[in-house]
Amino acid sequence: MTNTREFVVADDFVGWRLDKFLAAQMPDFSRSEIQRFDVLRNGRISKFSDKIKQGDAIVVNIPLRQTNVATENVSNDLDLEILYQDDDIIVINKPRGVVMYPSAGNKTGTLVQNLLSVTHLSALGGETRPGVVHRLDKDTSGVMVFAKSDAAYRGLVKMFSAHDLTRRYIAFVWGVPNWTGADITGNIARSSRNRQKMTMVKSGGKPAHTVVDVLNVWPRAGVSEFRCTLMTGRTHQIRVHLSSHGFPVLCDPVYGRASARLGSVRDADLLDFIKTHNGQMLHAQVLEFNHPITGKRMCFKTPLPDDMLELKEVISG
């Protein structure tokens, strides 16, 4: 099935490239998207680089996109906590331990597949990532937004790319700082030794900036609670930045340096928690942004998950 749009070239657009003209007439699509559509000019196939003339009749056939996540693999095994939804977006509180979307080792039970059991998502994210405009690691919990409409998808992608929004996380870390706040900057790149890890580099990589505020410290346990505000959005950014500055996130199997820390733990309850718990103590607490369609300012704040509350009780006891 297709959606057909028709245009007649007015004098103001004479001499324009065909793709530039169509981008002006259909601002909800990018020029690269438009160049994949079937377009007829005066009943004939035309190159997108062709210059148009007054009175040209343009017919655009837009295929109706559908997600390619197989319907038989749609999951409803999660009790989704939906914070908000309308025709364009859905905001949820992601639980820890849930993979974002299907991949080679995770065919079912993903967050996207569970969302598809309760709503539709924009197919612009790709075959297995419909509606996905940002991501959280499997073992990071917290607030997320997904696009339901294509227009919302484009708006959210631009917003996240420009970082025109607020993202705040809570992290429980090893170490007690002698400061109350810090700006951590440093480029991040994929590790040459382990392609599954990210690392800070002196040259190359992508610039990254994290603002850290100290919320609580427990000197006896050697643990602190940080609020981390993302000024950029790199893969594993908070985990890499904190670990590289000597404050690795508790229970982080990749950057947590557990072997170097466990020997110094004297609290039996804390030691038991760390040894038996899976998943870094990192939670996306706040997501604030302008609605991609209405422009309304929206702010979502999620409480700490049960395991982080349990940890706080253990180190406060």
Side-chain angles (χ1 to χ4, degrees):
M1 296 178 65
T2 60
N3 172 25
T4 300
R5 300 192 189 184
E6 300 181 7
F7 308 97
V8 176
V9 177
D11 182 62
D12 294 345
F13 299 100
V14 170
W16 282 36
R17 280 177 54 115
L18 176 59
D19 56 357
K20 183 180 178 182
F21 167 76
L22 292 175
Q25 303 304 309
M26 301 188 295
D28 47 335
F29 296 100
S30 67
R31 196 185 297 192
S32 61
E33 286 181 283
I34 290 170
Q35 289 176 346
R36 294 195 292 268
F37 297 160
D38 293 326
V39 178
L40 297 178
R41 176 179 168 219
N42 300 323
R44 297 182 179 181
I45 296 175
S46 180
K47 295 181 180 178
F48 286 103
S49 58
D50 286 351
K51 302 297 177 62
I52 56 178
K53 301 177 181 179
Q54 184 177 10
D56 280 349
I58 312 295
V59 177
V60 184
N61 293 311
I62 306 169
L64 297 179
R65 290 177 294 263
Q66 295 182 346
T67 61
N68 288 328
V69 177
T71 54
E72 62 268 23
N73 287 335
V74 169
S75 304
N76 59 359
D77 48 355
L78 294 180
D79 185 14
L80 289 171
E81 183 181 350
I82 299 173
L83 305 177
Y84 173 85
Q85 73 169 316
D86 56 26
D87 291 339
D88 297 294
I89 65 172
I90 182 169
V91 182
I92 60 101
N93 186 12
K94 175 189 175 294
R96 195 184 316 285
V98 177
V99 175
M100 285 284 300
Y101 37 73
S103 60
N106 299 278
K107 297 294 186 182
T108 61
T110 67
L111 188 58
V112 160
Q113 289 168 312
N114 275 270
L115 282 168
L116 287 172
S117 72
V118 298
T119 189
H120 64 276
L121 296 170
S122 168
L124 290 184
E127 294 183 358
T128 59
R129 306 178 187 183
V132 176
V133 295
H134 68 126
R135 63 184 297 273
L136 291 179
D137 299 325
K138 172 186 175 182
D139 289 323
T140 298
S141 58
V143 61
M144 296 196 70
V145 60
F146 291 81
K148 295 174 64 173
S149 70
D150 291 352
Y153 180 88
R154 296 185 189 91
L156 287 169
V157 166
K158 289 180 181 178
M159 205 178 298
F160 276 90
S161 296
H163 205 76
D164 187 20
L165 73 171
T166 300
R167 301 169 70 183
R168 293 195 179 101
Y169 292 66
I170 298 297
F172 286 88
V173 303
W174 289 113
V176 176
N178 58 3
W179 39 263
T180 59
D183 273 65
I184 300 178
T185 58
N187 287 21
I188 292 177
R190 196 163 295 279
S191 171
S192 59
R193 297 180 179 180
N194 182 348
R195 303 303 292 174
Q196 302 301 313
K197 293 182 64 174
M198 308 300 290
T199 186
M200 287 186 64
V201 291
K202 293 182 178 179
S203 62
K206 296 181 179 180
H209 181 190
T210 307
V211 175
V212 179
D213 295 296
V214 180
L215 299 184
N216 286 296
V217 296
W218 294 271
R220 182 179 176 184
V223 174
S224 299
E225 180 183 7
F226 287 174
R227 177 175 61 226
C228 303
T229 302
L230 288 181
M231 308 309 291
T232 55
R234 310 305 179 200
T235 301
H236 298 175
Q237 177 176 317
I238 292 174
R239 298 162 66 191
V240 172
H241 268 175
L242 294 182
S243 181
S244 66
H245 283 72
F247 299 95
V249 178
L250 266 71
C251 303
D252 186 340
V254 180
Y255 308 101
R257 306 180 188 178
S259 59
R261 296 282 179 172
L262 289 182
S264 62
V265 177
R266 297 291 179 261
D267 187 309
D269 290 335
L270 176 57
L271 188 61
D272 181 66
F273 180 93
I274 295 168
K275 288 183 175 181
T276 59
H277 190 79
N278 294 317
Q280 59 268 3
M281 295 288 94
L282 183 63
H283 176 70
Q285 184 185 47
V286 173
L287 179 62
E288 185 175 356
F289 59 94
N290 291 334
H291 192 288
I293 304 302
T294 68
K296 179 182 177 182
R297 193 65 176 174
M298 312 191 81
C299 182
F300 301 95
K301 184 175 182 179
T302 51
L304 292 180
D306 290 343
D307 54 1
M308 291 179 76
L309 292 174
E310 180 186 352
L311 172 62
K312 198 166 187 175
E313 188 174 317
V314 167
I315 56 181
S316 298

